[in-house]
Amino acid sequence: MNTINSIPQEVVERVNNLRKQLQEASYAYYVLDKPIMEDAVYDQLYRELQDLEAQYPSLITPDSPTQRVGEKPSNQFTPTPHRIPMYSLENAFNFQELKQWENRWQKQLDAIPEFEYVCELKIDGVAVALTYENGILVRGLTRGDGMTGEDITANIKTIKTIPLRLHIQSPPPILEVRGEVFLPLEEFERINREREEKGESPFANPRNAAAGTIRQLEPKIVSQRKLKFFAYTAHILPEENNILTTQEDTLKYLKQVGFLVNENYQVCPNLEVVKAYLEYWEKKRHQLPYTTDGVVIKINSLNLQKQLGFTQKFPRGAIAYKFPAEETVTRIKEIVLSVGRTGAVTPIAIMEPVFLAGTTVQKATLHNAQHVRELDVRVGDTVVIRKAGEIIPEVVRVIKELRPNNSQPFLMPEKCPECDSLLYQESEAVIRCLNNSCPAILRGNLIHWASRDAMDITGLGEKTVVALMAAGLVKSIPDLYYLTPEKLLPLDKMGKKSADNLIQAINNSKRQPFPRVLYGLGIRHIGAVNAKIIAETFKDIDSLMKASPDELMAIDGIGEEIASSLVSWFKVEQNRQLIDQLKKIGLRLQLEEKLEVKDKKLAGKVFVITGSLPSMTREEAKTIIEKHGGKVNSSISSKVDFLIVGEKPGSKLEKAKKMGIKIINEAEFLSLIGS
């Protein structure tokens, strides 16, 4: 066994800091009703403390958060003992931990009986216990420390999904009901809008809003916020009156006597079926009108649950599976700098790998110099990172209580990390490299030029751009159009077919319309939508180059910043030479005549195209669709009617399958218009 003297000092400091931070978070949540930490962050710090204490048992102390059931109740309400202890559940964060839990409970038995599980969505709200005597609601308590809760009966009675009288002819003498008070998303958004209008801070999430509401001292406020309640457990007392034998029976009984029960539960014969349930709801949960952060898995047999009993803190017959967090914590190992196509220098945090929103991440953006200063983020810091959808994770908060003693503030550099040119301090936030020959700026411009919304050059991704630059084949955008298959073949992993396909894709890009070319130039503040509006007004690049700021700002939606950016860009001689070169290559730098709609065969139909089509470019397919009255979108949504799929389709195909969108090939598409 380790002694404290033999344990590294940094481990001792980390454990002490973790305990302090977790205890402060618990106190803020349970006693002050002012949460200071997200659930996912608390879970990860708690797990880290557990792991360190398991590795160094001599560090365990009686007051460690890992040794306690909960925090003391708030003194704002009358402390009241629970008739039946209100235990929390052990957490599992992956399927392997569920298997380990199953092995543990089965080892408690001499023989394993037939069993099944019930899976229920874990509602992200506030757990409460309700007591009914002879069918009448007499008490509502918060969880508190599991043994004693706060009496919030007056507030509970304002929740319309909690019956004041059971809907049953002969109610039991005593019925203890457990469930979750939650705030529907629609109501959460309404409350936050009202708070912002009054100059009050919005609630961070629906769970915090529900927790703050249920502990309001004024029941009238609780009533106005339209909380709801899902019931999930019932105890009929005295025991001889109990008619319930399974968790499934319990849920049906609760519904029968008047409670709202979440209908998305499922009885599962084994963990493999449980796994399918978890995978389904991990994807579908964002479509629900309330928040859920996981699934509760219970042994269906109440008798078997009772036989298994409890550990020091948890029932053995149930466990909570947590969905992958969209916020979590990790530590920063290094801060590096990335130079974008506009020369802006972005600090990037390199972190200890962490599982977040279904993927393992090691990098997170720190946005800009100002954000770094405001966060005071440093190498060695423990930070909260967030990932929304498929965007790069970002650092949102530093947990300074866990900061190493020897940390140093991070300072932005004076010179470009790519070309060693002096950097220009454009504003408090932005530091920029102004060297147009900077490799990072060229690399970014080439990648942007080839992107889907610009010239849509299939096969010209970041790796190929880097390889072309390293071989000295491309030093500007026009150089792309003088490449040949023979020049490409010496590149690593570039076969004849790949070389031919890339050259074909580059040549096809010459047919892209003027708005896409304008967007592809990468002029600051000019997005795909603005480029189309500007191109439709000025018709060709020569007219646009002569435009004054006032003429540009006369266009609806074009402000001073965009106008100034355009005029400044065209004043640079190097950029005017680029336009001349693109003209010689034969790119479309004028607006084509307005498309004449041939017929209305596709009227009202919305298409998305993915992959390379056999006999036409995607732009040609788009033209055909528009000629027949249809519309083409760039992304999959519920408004899309058809996805046209070619060779090597992207992620849109999987998304369309999940959403039930009709998937067709080129031949099926042409049959729609009678071709």
Side-chain angles (χ1 to χ4, degrees):
M1 182 174 177
N2 296 293
T3 62
I4 290 181
N5 290 335
S6 66
I7 299 171
Q9 184 60 30
E10 61 267 24
V11 173
V12 176
E13 288 180 6
R14 182 72 178 174
V15 166
N16 289 336
N17 287 338
L18 284 168
R19 281 188 190 138
K20 179 183 177 184
Q21 184 73 357
L22 290 168
Q23 285 163 348
E24 287 176 354
S26 293
Y27 180 76
Y29 178 76
Y30 289 105
V31 181
L32 302 180
D33 302 329
K34 294 180 180 178
I36 61 172
M37 185 181 292
E38 303 84 350
D39 266 3
V41 174
Y42 185 94
D43 288 342
Q44 188 160 334
L45 294 178
Y46 186 92
R47 178 64 67 94
E48 184 183 352
L49 179 59
Q50 272 187 320
D51 292 344
L52 288 172
E53 289 181 344
Q55 189 176 353
Y56 303 101
S58 60
L59 290 178
I60 297 174
T61 58
D63 66 338
S64 172
T66 63
Q67 308 301 305
R68 302 175 67 179
V69 174
E71 290 296 322
K72 62 182 180 180
S74 166
N75 58 12
Q76 292 182 315
F77 298 93
T78 305
T80 305
H82 286 290
R83 190 186 300 269
I84 299 170
M86 201 168 178
Y87 286 86
S88 56
L89 294 176
E90 181 182 1
N91 288 327
F93 293 91
N94 54 58
F95 189 67
Q96 184 60 35
E97 292 182 1
L98 281 184
K99 287 184 175 180
Q100 292 169 357
W101 164 72
E102 183 178 72
N103 290 337
R104 285 197 300 275
W105 74 253
Q106 289 183 353
K107 284 179 182 178
Q108 299 292 317
L109 306 171
D110 295 329
I112 301 171
E114 288 188 10
F115 67 91
E116 54 191 6
Y117 296 114
V118 173
C119 290
E120 302 169 54
L121 294 180
K122 184 177 179 294
I123 308 304
D124 201 9
V126 180
V128 299
L130 310 175
T131 300
Y132 288 79
E133 294 181 358
N134 297 314
I136 305 297
L137 176 64
V138 296
R139 189 177 303 110
L141 304 180
T142 64
R143 183 197 299 277
D145 65 2
M147 306 304 291
T148 301
E150 304 101 46
D151 189 328
I152 53 169
T153 308
N155 290 345
I156 284 294
K157 287 183 175 181
T158 69
I159 301 174
K160 290 182 170 57
T161 50
I162 294 178
L164 301 180
R165 177 189 292 270
L166 298 177
H167 300 181
I168 188 173
Q169 289 294 328
S170 302
I174 296 172
L175 178 67
E176 287 274 324
V177 176
R178 305 287 164 82
E180 202 82 7
V181 170
F182 67 96
L183 193 64
L185 287 171
E186 187 177 4
E187 184 66 10
F188 168 69
E189 290 165 2
R190 182 192 69 78
I191 291 168
N192 269 354
R193 282 197 301 271
E194 288 185 357
R195 291 176 70 86
E196 287 173 346
E197 287 169 5
K198 295 175 183 176
E200 299 173 348
S201 299
F203 287 113
N205 53 56
R207 199 282 312 275
N208 285 4
T213 300
I214 202 65
R215 293 182 174 92
Q216 279 283 338
L217 296 177
E218 178 51 65
K220 184 179 179 182
I221 296 176
V222 184
S223 178
Q224 291 169 348
R225 290 187 180 169
K226 299 177 184 177
L227 294 168
K228 287 190 175 183
F229 176 80
F230 276 136
Y232 52 69
T233 301
H235 299 279
I236 296 174
L237 302 172
E239 193 67 37
E240 55 266 26
N241 292 339
N242 184 34
I243 57 171
L244 306 175
T245 59
T246 67
Q247 176 62 15
E248 184 182 17
D249 289 342
T250 301
L251 295 171
K252 290 178 178 177
Y253 175 80
L254 285 166
K255 187 175 180 180
Q256 177 190 341
V257 300
F259 287 95
L260 183 63
V261 170
N262 193 301
E263 298 289 352
N264 295 310
Y265 72 87
Q266 181 179 324
V267 179
C268 302
N270 53 55
L271 276 189
E272 287 306 312
V273 180
V274 169
K275 185 179 182 181
Y277 180 92
L278 300 176
E279 290 172 348
Y280 177 84
W281 282 110
E282 187 176 329
K283 296 173 184 174
K284 291 286 187 179
R285 60 185 169 131
H286 295 299
Q287 299 176 19
L288 294 167
Y290 46 81
T291 54
T292 172
D293 61 350
V295 172
V296 175
I297 300 111
K298 302 173 185 174
I299 295 172
N300 196 19
S301 167
L302 299 182
N303 185 53
L304 184 52
Q305 284 190 32
K306 185 177 180 181
Q307 185 181 347
L308 288 168
F310 298 83
T311 66
Q312 182 184 355
K313 296 190 294 179
F314 308 122
R316 291 193 177 95
I319 193 168
Y321 173 89
K322 291 290 191 80
F323 289 133
E326 293 177 343
E327 286 192 351
T328 190
V329 293
T330 184
R331 273 187 276 186
I332 294 179
K333 295 160 57 179
E334 185 182 3
I335 297 175
V336 299
L337 299 161
S338 171
V339 183
R341 65 181 176 84
T342 65
V345 180
T346 302
I348 303 288
I350 308 299
M351 310 168 300
E352 292 179 354
V354 64
F355 197 66
L356 176 65
T359 59
T360 299
V361 298
Q362 291 180 271
K363 295 181 180 180
T365 181
L366 294 168
H367 294 295
N368 53 50
Q370 186 175 14
H371 193 64
V372 170
R373 284 194 299 273
E374 289 173 352
L375 285 176
D376 185 24
V377 62
R378 307 179 183 185
V379 173
D381 274 346
T382 299
V383 294
V384 179
I385 61 171
R386 175 189 298 145
K387 184 180 180 186
E390 297 178 358
I391 63 170
I392 185 171
E394 61 176 342
V395 175
V396 294
R397 184 161 61 85
V398 176
I399 303 177
K400 293 182 179 176
E401 293 84 352
L402 302 180
R403 170 172 285 169
N405 292 329
N406 60 350
S407 72
Q408 297 294 320
F410 177 77
L411 300 176
M412 294 292 284
E414 294 181 354
K415 292 186 176 182
C416 175
E418 292 267 359
C419 68
D420 210 35
S421 301
L422 282 173
L423 294 173
Y424 171 64
Q425 183 85 43
E426 184 173 287
S427 66
E428 282 294 309
V430 180
I431 295 174
R432 199 178 298 278
C433 176
L434 300 181
N435 175 17
N436 284 334
S437 300
C438 177
I441 294 175
L442 174 59
R443 182 170 63 243
N445 281 335
L446 289 169
I447 293 168
H448 177 73
W449 178 261
S451 65
R452 185 169 298 174
D453 290 335
M455 307 308 286
D456 195 16
I457 304 175
T458 304
L460 190 58
E462 183 175 359
K463 288 182 180 178
T464 305
V465 167
V466 170
L468 289 169
M469 289 176 61
L473 294 174
V474 175
K475 297 178 181 178
S476 67
I477 287 172
D479 287 347
L480 292 170
Y481 295 89
Y482 297 100
L483 292 171
T484 63
E486 292 71 29
K487 289 180 180 179
L488 296 178
L489 286 174
L491 299 180
D492 187 38
K493 297 181 181 178
M494 181 66 75
K496 186 176 186 310
K497 186 176 180 181
S498 298
D500 289 340
N501 288 344
L502 179 54
I503 297 302
Q504 184 61 48
I506 291 171
N507 288 332
N508 287 343
S509 74
K510 293 178 185 179
R511 298 200 291 265
Q512 295 289 8
F514 178 35
R516 280 176 171 259
V517 179
L518 181 57
Y519 171 63
L521 292 173
I523 303 170
R524 286 178 63 198
H525 309 305
I526 307 299
V529 174
N530 287 335
K532 189 173 183 181
I533 294 170
I534 293 166
E536 287 173 350
T537 301
F538 287 92
K539 310 299 183 185
D540 61 66
I541 197 72
D542 291 324
S543 301
L544 182 57
M545 289 171 73
K546 297 172 186 174
S548 68
D550 288 342
E551 288 173 320
L552 288 163
M553 285 189 287
I555 304 172
D556 187 31
I558 304 302
E560 184 178 354
E561 188 175 51
I562 294 173
S564 175
S565 181
L566 266 170
V567 171
S568 297
W569 193 87
F570 283 120
K571 281 182 179 178
V572 177
E573 181 58 30
Q574 189 176 350
N575 294 335
R576 298 175 75 89
Q577 291 174 6
L578 169 62
I579 297 301
D580 288 339
Q581 290 173 298
L582 295 179
K583 284 180 181 178
K584 291 175 184 176
I585 291 165
L587 273 83
R588 294 179 176 177
L589 293 167
Q590 66 283 326
L591 201 65
E592 303 297 312
E593 290 185 15
K594 192 167 183 181
L595 185 72
E596 183 181 346
V597 177
K598 187 176 179 181
D599 56 46
K600 297 286 186 179
K601 288 181 179 178
L602 303 180
K605 301 299 182 185
V606 180
F607 293 77
V608 170
I609 307 168
T610 184
S612 302
L613 302 180
S615 67
M616 65 182 80
T617 65
R618 284 191 284 212
E619 193 59 37
E620 288 168 338
K622 180 183 178 185
T623 301
I624 292 171
I625 291 166
E626 290 174 346
K627 275 185 178 179
H628 291 279
K631 183 182 175 184
V632 179
N633 281 4
S634 61
S635 59
I636 294 292
S637 72
S638 59
K639 297 178 181 178
V640 175
D641 298 292
F642 297 95
L643 175 68
I644 304 173
V645 177
E647 187 182 352
K648 295 182 180 177
S651 59
K652 292 185 177 76
L653 178 58
E654 279 305 310
K655 191 170 182 181
K657 286 179 180 177
K658 291 173 185 174
M659 295 182 69
I661 291 168
K662 188 170 179 61
I663 297 165
I664 58 176
N665 57 28
E666 184 187 288
E668 290 168 321
F669 158 60
L670 293 173
S671 71
L672 293 176
I673 55 173
S675 296

